[in-house]
Amino acid sequence: MSQHIKNDAIIGVVIKKMTAAYQVRAGEQVLTCTLSPALAAANGRKPMRSACHAAPLLAAVGDQVRIKPLPAGQGMILEVLPRRSSFGRRGALPMPDKHPSEQVIVANVDQLVAVFSIDQPAPRWNLLDRYLVAAEASDLPALVCMTKLDLLPELSPETRAETLQILADYERIGYAVVQTSVVHSSGMDELCAALRERVSVLIGKSGVGKSSLLNGLQPGLGLRTAEVSAYNGKGRHTTTHLEMVSLHFGGAIVDTPGMREFGLWDIHPDELGQCFPEMRPYLGRCKFGLDCSHDEEPGCAVRRAVMDGSIHPRRYRSYLRLRNEP
């Protein structure tokens, strides 16, 4: 889909981000690109703009970019075009005295796919809530994809019942949930239908089976997989770079490195309740109106909804934990 414009520059899409370079698809060619000196200098002078529709200074996977082709399959990124959407998290602080900044994970995607495994490693529901809150804040539809469904019979009856009930709770809230097993090829048709003709970003901890899932969706991708460590139960990174993969049935997926931690970015505590869909009907109906933090205030409509079962206590605890983070 390349398009010639002035100065022989063309438009392409960033499909892979590496340490010091990007791979950009422009039409039928893929170029290895670096930032232009002017763009690199601008990045060093001021932070990237956070608004989706502003023209950012630093490219992310999914960005449309204007590039100048160079010999030997190389290129130079001259401009990052305005985004229609972005999904990011709070970046790690390089030094204690530095201010936090946004780390944009991916741009111009249609949906977030949060990938968790039934077991090995066990799901961290609070982490899932973080992903979903970030998706809500970015106006991105979210799909919950559970992998390794073949391990469900190995769970204790109590854990199995609890897991299935929690998944049912997410569906009751309004999130789509797909349960998959690459081993048994179950749920894969449903997942294909959810991904078809959309650009999706996969996010999840290491070891949950993202790469195996992609190989199951499209055999021959050759993505590396690794077993979960028997010593500490943690996954090992098999995806080391952000990369967009085209799907033969239509659409594309951005695979991401495993993320054990996920800090929310630019969500004011007073706006956090809007990122919990089940809380929205009760916001503003508290005794103290929109000034209520839904913690210990009397006459809180949200707390009353928790007591009568309209809001699950586990989700309410997630809300309080996120609200009280520094």
Side-chain angles (χ1 to χ4, degrees), residues 1 24 49 90 148 155 180 224 240 264 283 292 308:
M1 81 180 172
V24 177
R49 304 171 192 173
R90 184 176 60 189
K148 306 184 185 181
L155 301 179
T180 67
R224 294 181 297 138
T240 56
L264 298 179
L283 301 178
C292 186
D308 68 21

Side-chain angles (χ1 to χ4, degrees), residues 86-90 102-106 134 138 262-265:
S86 71
F87 180 77
R89 64 175 177 173
R90 184 176 60 189
E102 182 184 21
Q103 177 192 2
V104 176
I105 297 171
V106 67
S138 299
F262 190 90
L264 298 179
W265 171 254

Side-chain angles (χ1 to χ4, degrees), residues 12 51 58:
L58 188 62

Side-chain angles (χ1 to χ4, degrees), residues 254-285:
V254 179
D255 192 19
T256 61
M259 298 181 187
R260 294 194 180 104
E261 304 297 332
F262 190 90
L264 298 179
W265 171 254
D266 201 25
I267 301 177
H268 192 278
D270 291 341
E271 299 173 350
L272 182 61
Q274 290 287 349
C275 298
F276 284 76
E278 68 271 41
M279 289 188 183
R280 290 174 191 154
Y282 307 99
L283 301 178
R285 293 168 55 184

Side-chain angles (χ1 to χ4, degrees), residues 72-131:
Q74 304 295 305
M76 180 183 298
I77 297 176
L78 305 176
E79 180 185 6
V80 182
L81 302 184
R83 296 165 174 158
R84 60 181 174 85
S85 70
S86 71
F87 180 77
R89 64 175 177 173
R90 184 176 60 189
L93 293 178
M95 296 293 289
D97 60 339
K98 298 297 183 181
H99 294 291
S101 61
E102 182 184 21
Q103 177 192 2
V104 176
I105 297 171
V106 67
N108 301 322
V109 295
D110 300 310
Q111 67 179 347
L112 170 82
V113 181
V115 183
F116 284 76
S117 52
I118 291 289
D119 197 26
Q120 300 181 16
R124 284 178 53 196
W125 303 115
N126 290 334
L127 182 59
L128 174 56
D129 288 338
R130 286 177 177 272
Y131 294 161

